[in-house]
Amino acid sequence: MGRRIIIACAAIYLLQAVMRIFAPGAVAAMNEWLALIPVSVMHGKVWQVVTYSLLHASFSHVFFNMLTLWFIGAYLESDWGPRRFIECYIFCVVGAALVTIAIAYTHFLAPTREREPWRIWRHFRPADGVRDSLRDQEMYLFPLPFRIKAKYLVGIWWWSRSLRV
């Protein structure tokens, strides 16, 4: 199941990359309909609570998210089975969207269009929930030649992401 998510995200990213060249207006319309925009969700575009997880802003964004999903998702899927893995993934996707909407409506972090709200919202991603569920597991993660506990890896990940906000 994780492989299907990776293929879907990569295919949508490639479609958007091609569309940016030949039909830039179509990419903007696609983002308007599929990206998570809290105001739009509250006005009826409830599918955005799920579809935002398939969109990525850059090659590095899609590459590292899918690499993480491949490493950790394969481990979880073999341990839990495909059904429990996809339930966890969807729970994390919807949960991250609901937290994002709640933060947007409480004006916590005070995002505005001028201040690039996606820089703040990128911290609430479905892959983060999957990563967080493995905190006490030790694993090898390429290219590190030693085992590291997932909770330390998550800490390093969050610290490095917070430097970019």
Side-chain angles (χ1 to χ4, degrees):
M1 192 54 76
R3 186 175 298 154
R4 291 180 185 159
I5 296 169
I6 292 169
I7 291 169
C9 288
I12 290 171
Y13 177 76
L14 289 175
L15 175 68
Q16 282 185 310
V18 170
M19 287 172 50
R20 274 189 203 101
I21 296 168
F22 297 110
V27 174
M30 185 177 186
N31 286 336
E32 187 73 27
W33 277 91
L34 300 178
L36 180 64
I37 303 169
V39 173
S40 297
V41 173
M42 298 305 286
H43 287 94
K45 294 182 181 176
V46 293
W47 58 85
Q48 291 181 352
V49 172
V50 176
T51 58
Y52 82 95
S53 67
L54 301 172
L55 300 178
H56 294 83
S58 66
F59 176 77
S60 63
H61 183 204
V62 72
F63 178 77
F64 287 112
N65 275 7
M66 296 306 106
L67 186 65
T68 302
L69 184 60
W70 182 38
F71 282 141
I72 296 175
Y75 176 81
L76 280 179
E77 193 169 2
S78 68
D79 193 39
W80 291 353
R83 180 184 168 101
R84 186 168 176 211
F85 171 74
I86 198 67
E87 287 173 356
C88 175
Y89 188 82
I90 291 172
F91 177 80
C92 293
V93 166
V94 173
L98 295 177
V99 167
T100 299
I101 292 166
I103 288 174
Y105 276 92
T106 59
H107 301 290
F108 181 69
L109 302 177
T112 63
R113 284 196 184 267
E114 296 81 27
R115 292 179 58 202
E116 301 178 359
W118 55 87
R119 289 183 157 292
I120 295 167
W121 304 137
R122 72 165 181 224
H123 291 286
F124 304 104
R125 301 290 304 161
D128 296 337
V130 173
R131 260 195 326 268
D132 292 349
S133 67
L134 288 172
R135 287 186 180 269
D136 291 326
Q137 298 292 326
E138 285 192 1
M139 61 184 74
Y140 288 103
L141 187 63
F142 180 81
L144 301 177
F146 53 87
R147 292 172 69 89
I148 184 170
K149 279 196 172 189
K151 64 182 175 183
Y152 300 128
L153 186 62
V154 169
I156 292 167
W157 187 288
W158 278 93
W159 177 77
S160 69
R161 291 177 82 178
S162 67
L163 290 179
R164 291 186 267 163
V165 170

